[in-house]
């Protein structure tokens, strides 16, 4: 273990995930999560040296602060306080204000809070977590790492919507993109795989999980991405609809659905779950499809087809394509989905290698296409390591 430990925090409205990480090796010395904050069944669990512990949190307390107090106690009891160098916070939305990791002071915290209109479920929760961490570790540098930051290099033609300039100026309505930390990490790892500098690498990174997005990375920079003003846009996802005709919202409103009901339909009841009428879990869908479930089959076919269409379109902004890079829970582990996507790209010469595809899963990276095919890779993502490294760089 090095003397460069960083506490990585991902604070949600009712949850808090954390990892005390070695910023050099990426190893998690302590990791855990709190859930059901604000409820009587709020609890924390954590692992130290592979041993798991659970604790029920106090009813009616400030559960974010109580969680931070537990984390402080774990660090102190394991005699790691002297090794802790910084606290890194995942922040979903940085708007146009933040294009890189930023040292948090009162002014930065106020700006993160001011962006809550763009991420009402996330940014307010991040602010709560940051305040709790600053109280718990007042002498340590606290660093915000933004999901949107990597995409701030997109050109105007990629991030502007075809709406009036006034709507953009007044409300900041544009494509922001998300999963930026993941796209950044796997694009850099792909450059290593290719034995190239990131600045000389062109890849399409494909982050597939319950949330899913693609990114066109040209010369190491994001030049387009599938998620938009919010993470609802782009690909079909676990429960999210992805791209949809906006007139459907007006149509449903006239049918009597409220704005909240429409949003719930498109955010929580659509995607793989909505089409299959079964589950949003890809593993369950693959199993059901193999047993002949028509809804599961259609959901997987739609998912693969839409991913392939986006990949094909993202060849446009790249002068050449060095590799397609799969990552995320589905991208790293679902052999059938990866094979289906590559089959949809057969016009470009892509062909999956069955043995290589089977080997690249459960944390294993590797090429999954034949030697005669254009290159497709699987690279497991590590967003926590990026946050730890960027926080350490700011410390």
């Amino acid at each position: 273990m090095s003397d460069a430990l960083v506490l990585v925090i991902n604070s949600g409205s009712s949850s808090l995930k954390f990892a005390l990480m070695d910023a050099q090796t990426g190893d998690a010395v302590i990791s855990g999560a709190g859930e059901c904050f604000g409820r009587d069944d709020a609890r924390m669990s954590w692992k130290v040296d592979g041993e798991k512990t659970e604790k029920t949190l106090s009813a009616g307390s400030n559960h974010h602060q109580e969680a931070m107090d537990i984390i402080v106690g774990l660090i102190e009891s394991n005699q790691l306080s002297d090794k802790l160098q910084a606290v890194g916070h995942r922040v979903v939305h940085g708007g146009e204000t933040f294009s890189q990791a930023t040292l948090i002071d009162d002014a930065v915290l106020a700006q993160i809070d001011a962006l809550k209109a763009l991420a009402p479920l996330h940014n307010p929760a991040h602010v709560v977590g940051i305040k709790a961490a600053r109280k718990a570790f007042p002498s340590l540098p606290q660093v915000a790492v933004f999901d949107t930051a990597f995409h701030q290099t997109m050109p105007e033609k990629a991030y502007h919507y075809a709406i009036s300039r006034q709507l953009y100026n007044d409300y900041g309505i544009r494509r922001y993109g998300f999963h930026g930390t993941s796209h950044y990490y796997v694009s850099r790892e792909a450059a290593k795989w290719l034995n190239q500098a990131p600045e000389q690498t062109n890849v399409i990174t494909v982050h597939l999980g319950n949330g899913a997005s693609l990114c066109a990375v040209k010369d190491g920079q994001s030049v387009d991405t599938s998620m938009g003003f919010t993470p609802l846009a782009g690909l079909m996802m676990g429960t999210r609809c992805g791209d949809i005709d906006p007139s459907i919202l007006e149509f449903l409103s006239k049918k009597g659905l409220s704005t909240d009901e429409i949003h719930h339909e498109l955010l929580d009841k659509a995607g793989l779950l909505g089409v299959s009428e079964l589950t949003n879990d890809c593993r369950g869908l693959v199993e059901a499809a193999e047993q002949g479930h028509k809804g599961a089959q259609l959901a997987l076919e739609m998912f693969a087809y839409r991913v392939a269409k986006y990949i094909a379109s993202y060849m446009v902004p790249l002068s050449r394509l060095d590799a397609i890079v799969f990552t995320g829970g589905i991208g790293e582990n679902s052999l059938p989905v990866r094979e289906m996507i590559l089959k949809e790209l057969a016009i470009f010469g892509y062909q999956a290698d069955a043995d290589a595809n089977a080997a690249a899963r459960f944390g294993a990276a590797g090429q999954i296409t034949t030697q005669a095919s254009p290159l497709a890779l699987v690279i497991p993502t590590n967003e926590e390591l990026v946050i730890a490294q960027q926080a350490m760089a700011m410390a």
Side-chain angles (χ1 to χ4, degrees):
M1 184 194 307
S2 72
D3 291 330
L5 297 184
V6 176
L7 177 61
V8 176
I9 294 176
N10 181 358
S11 177
S13 58
S14 61
S15 64
L16 187 148
K17 297 179 182 178
F18 73 94
L20 184 65
M21 298 191 69
D22 187 319
Q24 295 180 7
T25 66
D27 294 333
V29 181
I30 304 173
S31 62
E35 55 187 344
C36 302
F37 287 6
R39 292 173 19 184
D40 290 342
D41 58 345
R43 55 193 177 272
M44 282 278 290
S45 62
W46 58 87
K47 283 185 179 180
V48 181
D49 295 328
E51 184 176 341
K52 186 174 181 178
T53 303
E54 295 188 8
K55 176 181 174 63
T56 300
L57 301 184
S58 304
S61 73
N62 180 336
H63 289 147
H64 285 85
Q65 190 61 58
E66 187 175 356
M68 290 305 310
D69 292 341
I70 290 172
I71 294 168
V72 171
L74 288 170
I75 293 171
E76 291 178 345
S77 63
N78 286 276
Q79 299 181 331
L80 297 170
S81 300
D82 291 342
K83 295 178 182 289
L84 183 58
Q85 304 295 313
V87 182
H89 297 268
R90 180 208 177 203
V91 179
V92 165
H93 219 306
E96 294 182 309
T97 307
F98 299 102
S99 59
Q100 60 186 6
T102 303
L103 198 64
I104 299 171
D105 57 19
D106 290 344
V108 169
L109 186 60
Q111 289 174 307
I112 293 171
D113 187 50
L115 290 166
K116 61 189 175 185
L118 298 179
L121 298 179
H122 297 94
N123 275 38
H126 299 323
V127 169
V128 171
I130 291 169
K131 287 180 177 178
R134 292 179 82 192
K135 182 178 178 181
F137 303 100
S139 63
L140 289 179
Q142 311 258 342
V143 179
V145 178
F146 300 89
D147 282 7
T148 51
F150 183 54
H151 302 302
Q152 283 297 299
T153 53
M154 285 191 294
E156 286 186 297
K157 65 181 180 181
Y159 71 72
H160 262 294
Y161 289 126
I163 57 175
S164 71
R165 174 67 66 167
Q166 183 174 352
L167 283 177
Y168 168 66
N169 290 339
D170 290 351
Y171 304 111
I173 298 175
R174 51 157 286 182
R175 183 181 305 280
Y176 289 102
F178 301 88
H179 291 144
T181 309
S182 177
H183 291 298
Y184 169 86
Y185 177 79
V186 297
S187 66
R188 267 56 187 169
E189 291 299 301
K192 294 177 186 177
W193 182 278
L194 295 161
N195 197 27
Q196 297 174 180
E199 298 77 17
Q200 299 172 330
T201 301
N202 291 1
V203 292
I204 297 173
T205 51
V206 187
H207 181 112
L208 304 179
N210 193 51
S213 68
L214 283 85
C215 183
V217 182
K218 182 177 183 180
D219 299 330
Q221 294 188 327
S222 172
V223 293
D224 208 343
T225 191
S226 58
M227 283 182 169
F229 181 67
T230 74
L232 186 59
L235 298 175
M236 171 184 179
M237 305 178 219
T239 63
R240 296 176 228 172
C241 63
D243 291 340
I244 193 170
D245 183 343
S247 292
I248 292 172
L249 279 65
E250 180 189 20
F251 174 83
L252 292 175
S253 178
K254 289 181 177 179
K255 291 295 182 181
L257 276 70
S258 68
T259 301
D260 287 344
E261 287 172 331
I262 295 171
H263 190 253
H264 179 54
E265 285 285 341
L266 303 183
L267 182 69
D268 302 317
K269 298 175 68 176
L272 294 172
L273 173 64
V275 173
S276 70
E277 297 186 304
L278 186 65
T279 180
N280 63 311
D281 187 284
C282 190
R283 294 164 296 185
L285 290 175
V286 169
E287 182 179 345
E290 290 173 347
Q291 295 172 358
H293 190 286
K294 298 300 183 183
Q297 291 172 352
L298 177 60
L300 292 172
E301 288 170 1
M302 288 175 61
F303 184 75
Y305 176 63
R306 293 182 177 207
V307 171
K309 283 206 302 180
Y310 257 100
I311 291 173
S313 70
Y314 278 10
M315 295 180 185
V316 172
L318 304 180
S319 54
R320 70 174 195 285
L321 178 59
D322 297 325
I324 296 170
V325 186
F326 291 98
T327 195
I330 297 173
E332 294 172 26
N333 297 304
S334 182
L335 315 183
V337 169
R338 294 194 306 236
E339 186 173 353
M340 291 170 69
I341 293 168
L342 293 174
K343 188 174 182 180
E344 294 282 1
L345 295 168
I347 190 172
F348 299 105
Y350 285 92
Q351 185 175 6
D353 181 304
D355 292 337
N357 192 32
R361 64 189 309 202
F362 303 137
Q367 178 175 341
I368 61 171
T369 43
T370 65
Q371 293 302 314
S373 166
L375 181 62
L377 302 170
V378 172
I379 297 179
T381 193
N382 195 336
E383 295 168 273
E384 290 80 10
L385 177 58
V386 173
I387 294 171
Q389 290 176 337
Q390 293 189 358
M392 192 67 195
M394 300 291 294

